[in-house]
Amino acid sequence: MIQLTRRERRWGIAVVVAVTVWATYAVTVRPMHDRIRLLNRILPEKRAELRDLQARSAEYLASIRQIEAVQERVARQTPDFQLLPFLESLTEQQNLTVATMQQTDAPPSRPGYSETVVEIGLEGVTLSQLAGLLRALEESSETVAQIGSLHIRKRNQDTTRLDATIQIYSPKAVQDTVAADVRPR
C-alpha cells in the first residue's frame, strides 16, 4: 500500500469533498433551482388562465341555469296557449295601432320544441308606448316569448311618432307521440 503524507491526504479529502459538493449541486440543487425559476415564470400565467377559466365556467353555469329556467317556464306554459290571441289582447291593452299581425310556424330549432313567430306591424306609436309593449311582454308570466327582431322607423310627417315591426318568438314543448299497432294474439 502506498503511504500518503498528511498533506496529500488533506488534498485528497479536499478533492473528494469538492467533487461530492459539485456533484450534489449539479445533480440536485441546480435542477431544483432551474425548476423554481421556471415555475416562478409560469405560475402567474397559469393563475391568469385559471381566473379566465373560472370566469368562463361561471358564465357557462349561468347560461345553463337560464336555459333550465326557460325550459321550466315552457313546461309550465299552458298547453293550449296561443301566441297570436295573447299578443292581440296585449296590443289592445297598450292602446296601440296595429297595421299587421301575422303568425307563422318556424322550423324547430331543437328537438322536442316548436316555435311560433308573430310579426306585428305598428303605426304611429310613441317610443314610450313601444317600450311599454316590450316591458309588458317581458313581464308576462303567461308566456315564454322573446323579441326576435325590432325595426323602428320615423314617420315622415310626425317626428314624435314611429312605425315599428316586431318579430316575437315563442317556443312550445312538443310531445312526440308514437302510435304502436298492437294486436292481441
Side-chain angles (χ1 to χ4, degrees):
M1 193 154 169
I2 301 176
Q3 288 292 329
L4 297 173
T5 64
R6 182 178 256 197
R7 184 173 182 219
E8 290 172 335
R9 273 186 273 156
R10 284 185 185 160
W11 272 105
I13 291 173
V15 167
V16 169
V17 168
V19 167
T20 304
V21 167
W22 179 80
T24 302
Y25 176 77
V27 172
T28 58
V29 175
R30 186 170 183 181
M32 285 191 303
H33 187 289
D34 291 344
R35 182 72 178 161
I36 288 170
R37 208 172 341 144
L38 176 69
L39 290 175
N40 284 336
R41 184 175 48 92
I42 290 177
L43 278 176
E45 295 171 9
K46 296 299 179 184
R47 284 187 183 124
E49 289 177 11
L50 178 63
R51 283 191 297 272
D52 185 46
L53 184 62
Q54 287 171 335
R56 287 184 185 185
S57 174
E59 289 174 10
Y60 175 75
L61 291 175
S63 297
I64 293 296
R65 278 189 231 111
Q66 287 176 342
I67 289 170
E68 288 172 349
V70 168
Q71 288 173 339
E72 205 173 285
R73 284 183 64 198
V74 168
R76 280 186 285 145
Q77 185 171 296
T78 58
D80 59 341
F81 174 78
Q82 296 293 319
L83 183 62
L84 188 62
F86 169 75
L87 290 175
E88 287 173 345
S89 68
L90 193 62
T91 54
E92 286 175 14
Q93 290 172 3
Q94 300 290 324
N95 296 323
L96 298 173
T97 306
V98 177
T100 61
M101 189 175 290
Q102 171 181 351
Q103 177 175 323
T104 58
D105 290 327
S109 58
R110 295 184 72 188
Y113 291 94
S114 68
E115 266 188 347
T116 302
V117 180
V118 174
E119 185 172 304
I120 303 172
L122 301 173
E123 291 182 345
V125 296
T126 64
L127 187 59
S128 62
Q129 286 177 315
L130 185 59
L133 173 68
L134 297 177
R135 192 176 313 109
L137 180 65
E138 182 180 311
E139 293 172 354
S140 171
S141 61
E142 273 186 64
T143 181
V144 178
Q146 70 179 32
I147 307 299
S149 67
L150 171 63
H151 300 281
I152 302 173
R153 297 166 303 283
K154 275 187 177 180
R155 290 185 69 96
N156 291 336
Q157 59 270 37
D158 189 0
T159 58
T160 61
R161 297 289 178 167
L162 305 168
D163 292 340
T165 305
I166 308 169
Q167 280 189 344
I168 300 170
Y169 293 81
S170 178
K172 187 175 189 177
V174 176
Q175 302 298 339
D176 291 334
T177 56
V178 178
D181 188 16
V182 179
R183 294 183 183 153
R185 292 185 176 183

